[in-house]
């Protein structure tokens, strides 16, 4: 983008460029074009003169070379549909001749007094139930991105079990409680509305992201932890650029909003990826390869359903456990039981764990790997029979169980890490049609409590999605 803009100036001359710049009033404007990693920019208070180059109206000098720039940028936008037209964008240029166009487009802040809606969790010891700690704040300040961060206008967010588990001060995940008051939610889809310094994402990019349990928790276990100051269940959020991935413009943001946490957990558990690390020693997790056999415990869970698809995409033989409880309609298809649904995802064999112990149906030393998406301690002991010598058992459980004495396999427990690189790999797989994100139900922004109750009931099959601001994606396509 920068090279093209510089080329335009060189071909048309500084005089014509200055004439165009002087047509528009010197006002604060928003950079909506991805040229030079478009940013949201305010007038520079240091006195550097920034002028506004706005869309050419009738009676103003036309610039046919913008058509050339549009055609070049559209080659990228055919894949991600994130580019705004040079005709409709507002571009800020530095008055100094030596200033590079990209250097002029630094970080920015939104206008003073801008507000948004967001859900909040308060520490209220006198409330009757944990969901009563939630309240919808109608007038909250819109956050501004710091260095390396982007501000995202959220279109959809996903509800995960961790969201309601964190509301219980005495629950199994209490160590990861965020500092109240905080905005809940970890998974989101939206549009980059503004970018801080040190970022490469373009304004107008459609993205999904995972904010991170450890990264946001009060433990502060990750560098740059915000202690729960940002959450996905808000109209705007700020997030480090390294935690998001660009999604294609033709993709369904409602579906992909449910991908990050569950998808990253399955991906890192099976393959380690860029972000996966064992909790105890920081070692690798899974290393599943084509031709191997993997057992997915909890194949009908959000993590398990994606793990089944990832295993098949990797060329492995996949066996999964599930129950015979009703599944219902997913997408446009009806599935009588969760067993039927997991089979439809591509599992080579599905074992009903409610009718029989799953070890009795599986061969001794049959599996190269077990991915436990449930976290029940006793399953580690049962796995010793079915794992091959030197195999691995990877668990999403929150506790380190006792590894059977003399066990000839590797055990690793982990907590999913926020990784834009791993998330980008998952987006690519969705584009290739190798994985899909099943959606159980959708809820309006004001119906968060109902969405959390649906998750807590254990009856959900697929992801639970909250629509925050559907117009965000629609306006980004204009």
């Amino acid at each position: 983008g920068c090279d093209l803009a510089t080329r335009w100036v060189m071909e048309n001359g500084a005089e014509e460029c200055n004439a165009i710049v002087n047509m528009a009033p010197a006002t604060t404007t928003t950079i909506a074009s991805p040229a030079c990693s478009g940013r949201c920019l305010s007038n520079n208070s240091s006195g550097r003169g920034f002028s506004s180059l706005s869309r050419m109206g009738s009676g103003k000098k036309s610039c046919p070379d913008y058509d050339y720039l549009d055609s070049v940028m559209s080659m990228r936008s055919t894949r991600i549909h994130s580019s705004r037209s040079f005709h409709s964008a507002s571009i800020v240029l530095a008055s100094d001749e030596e200033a590079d166009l990209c250097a002029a487009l630094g970080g920015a802040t939104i206008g003073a007094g801008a507000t948004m809606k967001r859900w909040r969790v308060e520490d209220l010891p006198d409330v009757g139930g944990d969901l009563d700690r939630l309240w919808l704040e109608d007038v909250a300040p819109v956050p501004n991105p710091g260095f390396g961060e982007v501000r995202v206008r959220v279109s959809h967010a996903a509800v995960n079990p961790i969201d309601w588990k964190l509301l219980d001060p005495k629950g199994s995940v209490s160590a990861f409680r965020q500092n109240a008051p905080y905005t809940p939610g970890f998974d989101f889809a939206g549009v980059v509305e503004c970018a801080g310094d040190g970022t490469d994402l373009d304004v107008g990019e459609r993205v999904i992201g995972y904010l991170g349990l450890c990264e946001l928790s009060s433990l502060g276990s990750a560098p740059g932890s915000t202690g729960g100051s940002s959450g996905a269940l808000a109209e705007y959020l700020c997030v480090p650029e390294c935690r998001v991935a660009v999604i294609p413009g033709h993709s369904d943001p409602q579906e992909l909003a449910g991908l990050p946490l569950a998808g990253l957990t399955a991906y890192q558990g099976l393959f380690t990826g860029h972000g996966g690390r064992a909790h105890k020693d920081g070692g690798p997790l899974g290393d599943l390869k084509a031709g191997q056999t993997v057992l997915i415990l909890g194949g009908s869970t959000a993590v398990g359903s994606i793990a089944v698809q990832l295993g098949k995409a990797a060329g492995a033989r996949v066996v999964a456990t599930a129950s015979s409880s009703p599944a219902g309609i997913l997408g446009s298809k009806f599935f009588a039981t969760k067993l039927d649904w997991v089979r439809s995802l591509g599992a080579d064999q599905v074992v009903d764990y409610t009718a029989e112990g799953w070890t009795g149906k599986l061969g001794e030393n049959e599996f190269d790997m077990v991915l436990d998406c449930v976290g029940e301690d006793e399953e580690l002991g049962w796995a010793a029979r079915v794992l091959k010598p030197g195999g691995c058992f990877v668990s999403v459980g929150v506790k380190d169980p006792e590894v059977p004495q003399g066990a000839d396999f590797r055990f690793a427990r982990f907590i999913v890490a926020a990784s834009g690189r791993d998330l980008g790999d998952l987006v690519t797989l969705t584009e290739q049609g190798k994985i899909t994100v099943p959606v159980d139900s959708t809820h309006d922004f004001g119906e968060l409590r109902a969405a959390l109750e649906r998750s807590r009931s254990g009856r959900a099959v697929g992801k639970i999605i909250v629509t925050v601001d559907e117009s965000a994606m629609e306006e980004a396509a204009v």
Side-chain angles (χ1 to χ4, degrees):
C2 295
D3 291 339
L4 292 173
T6 302
R7 173 178 166 184
W8 186 90
V9 174
M10 293 177 64
E11 290 178 351
N12 293 274
E15 182 176 347
E16 182 172 356
C17 180
N18 288 333
I20 297 171
V21 171
N22 291 330
M23 289 179 190
T27 58
T28 300
T29 187
T30 296
I31 307 304
S33 170
C36 310
S37 299
R39 302 288 189 260
C40 193
L41 186 67
S42 296
N43 281 335
N44 191 307
S45 59
S46 65
R48 288 177 61 94
F50 290 102
S51 298
S52 172
L53 174 59
S54 302
R55 179 174 180 172
M56 305 300 167
S58 60
K60 294 184 179 180
K61 182 172 176 136
S62 63
C63 298
D65 290 84
Y66 281 127
D67 291 327
Y68 169 70
L69 294 177
D70 274 336
S71 68
V72 173
M73 296 307 294
S74 68
M75 287 188 281
R76 184 180 182 200
S77 64
T78 55
R79 179 173 65 86
I80 60 175
H81 286 212
S82 63
S83 299
R84 301 285 186 94
S85 168
F86 273 79
H87 284 290
S88 61
S90 299
I91 304 174
V92 174
L93 298 176
S95 60
D96 297 342
E97 293 183 7
E98 72 278 4
D100 179 83
L101 184 57
C102 284
L105 306 179
T109 59
I110 200 167
T115 62
M116 66 174 184
K117 293 182 180 180
R118 65 181 178 184
W119 280 95
R120 299 292 276 174
V121 176
E122 297 280 5
D123 272 331
L124 301 174
D126 57 338
V127 296
D130 49 13
L131 294 187
D132 293 328
R133 297 176 59 206
L134 287 163
W135 64 286
L136 182 59
E137 185 177 7
D138 290 323
V139 182
V142 174
N144 288 314
F147 184 88
E149 292 185 332
V150 294
R151 181 171 64 228
V152 176
R153 182 180 174 189
V154 180
S155 66
H156 300 83
V159 166
N160 294 284
I162 190 64
D163 295 319
W164 52 264
K165 289 180 179 179
L166 285 171
L167 296 177
D168 182 359
K170 299 179 180 179
S172 60
V173 296
S174 58
F176 297 97
R177 290 184 67 203
Q178 300 181 63
N179 294 326
Y182 69 89
T183 299
F186 295 96
D187 286 349
F188 65 89
V191 179
V192 175
E193 194 261 354
C194 181
D197 290 331
T199 57
D200 293 318
L201 280 174
D202 301 330
V203 168
E205 298 272 32
R206 300 160 183 250
V207 296
I208 58 173
Y210 169 59
L211 292 170
L213 174 61
C214 290
E215 289 82 353
L216 290 186
S217 75
S218 56
L219 293 177
S221 57
S225 171
T226 60
S229 63
S230 184
L233 288 158
E235 291 180 325
Y236 292 90
L237 62 82
C238 289
V239 58
E241 181 184 50
C242 61
R243 298 182 198 168
V244 304
V246 175
I247 62 173
H250 56 78
S251 61
D252 182 357
Q254 176 178 279
E255 175 183 318
L256 290 186
L259 178 63
L261 190 153
L264 286 171
T265 304
Y267 184 84
Q268 292 173 4
L270 290 175
F271 311 111
T272 300
H274 299 287
R277 294 293 181 271
H279 177 72
K280 196 168 187 178
D281 59 8
L285 302 174
D287 187 23
L288 187 65
K289 293 182 172 60
Q292 293 184 334
T293 304
V294 60
L295 172 62
I296 310 293
L297 301 178
S300 64
T301 63
V303 174
S305 63
I306 295 178
V308 168
Q309 299 175 76
L310 288 173
K312 293 305 297 180
R317 178 174 179 268
V318 177
V319 179
T321 65
S323 74
S324 56
S325 58
I329 297 175
L330 278 166
S332 59
K333 297 181 180 180
F334 173 79
F335 300 97
T337 67
K338 292 181 179 180
L339 294 168
D340 298 325
W341 176 54
V342 175
R343 288 190 191 98
S344 76
L345 297 175
D348 298 286
Q349 180 182 353
V350 184
V351 178
D352 184 356
Y353 69 86
T354 62
E356 61 213 33
W358 54 262
T359 55
K361 287 289 185 179
L362 303 176
E364 188 173 349
N365 303 137
E366 180 181 354
F367 296 94
D368 298 279
M369 178 182 176
V370 174
L371 177 62
D372 176 17
C373 304
V374 181
E376 299 293 342
D377 292 352
E378 62 269 17
E379 293 180 330
L380 180 60
W382 299 342
R385 175 184 171 275
V386 300
L387 273 170
K388 294 178 181 179
C392 67
F393 186 104
V394 179
S395 175
V396 301
V398 297
K399 296 184 293 185
D400 283 317
E402 285 289 330
V403 178
Q405 192 171 6
D408 188 14
F409 63 85
R410 179 172 59 87
F411 172 77
R413 178 177 69 86
F414 78 106
I415 297 171
V416 62
S419 170
R421 296 175 69 183
D422 289 343
L423 194 53
D425 291 343
L426 287 165
V427 171
T428 298
L429 289 169
T430 65
E431 282 303 288
Q432 295 171 346
K434 294 182 178 179
I435 61 173
T436 60
V437 183
V439 174
D440 172 85
S441 57
T442 59
H443 301 261
D444 291 337
F445 190 47
E447 300 173 346
L448 176 59
R449 291 188 184 90
L452 290 167
E453 287 285 13
R454 175 67 179 172
S455 174
R456 192 160 59 175
S457 72
R459 296 190 299 269
V461 181
K463 297 297 298 185
I464 300 168
I465 305 299
V466 174
T467 302
V468 180
D469 182 5
E470 204 162 22
S471 64
M473 290 292 185
E474 297 169 357
E475 292 176 14
V478 177

